[in-house]
Amino acid sequence: QVQLVESGGGLVQAGGSLRLSCAASGNIFRLNTMAWYRQAPGNQRELVASITSGGSTNYADSVKGRFTISRDNAKNTMYLQMNSLKPEDTAVYYCNADVTTTLLRGRDLWGQGTQVTVSS
């Protein structure tokens, strides 16, 4: 069994910073593309940023220049450094990973979500 656990959310004032982490554990053969999504109340879940196993990244236009996605393959962990936060960044942030298990099965996994609240 493989699971993703997020941490690092919280309450911050506009202009502040937070760092989210997503740790994968279990019967992992390979972590492929990983990503952060977010969902604000009344909105659909949207892609924030993604990173391949080789380190190629992709960002939503709304976070370019402010957020940085990274990963530590040795620790099976992904990060999201969020700077210059705005009230509109308030949402539940979810970790997503394309995982190949030790049984060589593909799994699309989600974490439980972590709340990020940015006050004005």
Side-chain angles (χ1 to χ4, degrees), residues 36-38 46-50 57-67 69 80 89:
W36 289 98
Y37 286 77
R38 67 186 181 187
E46 64 175 358
L47 176 68
V48 175
S50 64
T57 59
N58 180 57
Y59 295 91
D61 288 343
S62 59
V63 306
K64 282 181 181 176
R66 300 188 297 122
F67 291 9
I69 190 171
L80 185 68
D89 294 318

Side-chain angles (χ1 to χ4, degrees), residues 92-108:
V92 177
Y93 284 70
Y94 296 92
C95 169
N96 171 259
D98 174 20
V99 178
T100 302
T101 70
T102 53
L103 296 178
L104 300 183
R105 293 176 179 171
R107 298 280 307 280
D108 182 50

Side-chain angles (χ1 to χ4, degrees), residues 102-120:
T102 53
L103 296 178
L104 300 183
R105 293 176 179 171
R107 298 280 307 280
D108 182 50
L109 297 179
W110 292 88
Q112 80 284 2
T114 186
Q115 177 70 46
V116 172
T117 302
V118 184
S119 63
S120 57

Side-chain angles (χ1 to χ4, degrees), residues 50-58 69-71 73:
S50 64
I51 184 167
T52 67
S53 57
S56 296
T57 59
N58 180 57
I69 190 171
S70 61
R71 61 191 287 172
N73 291 329

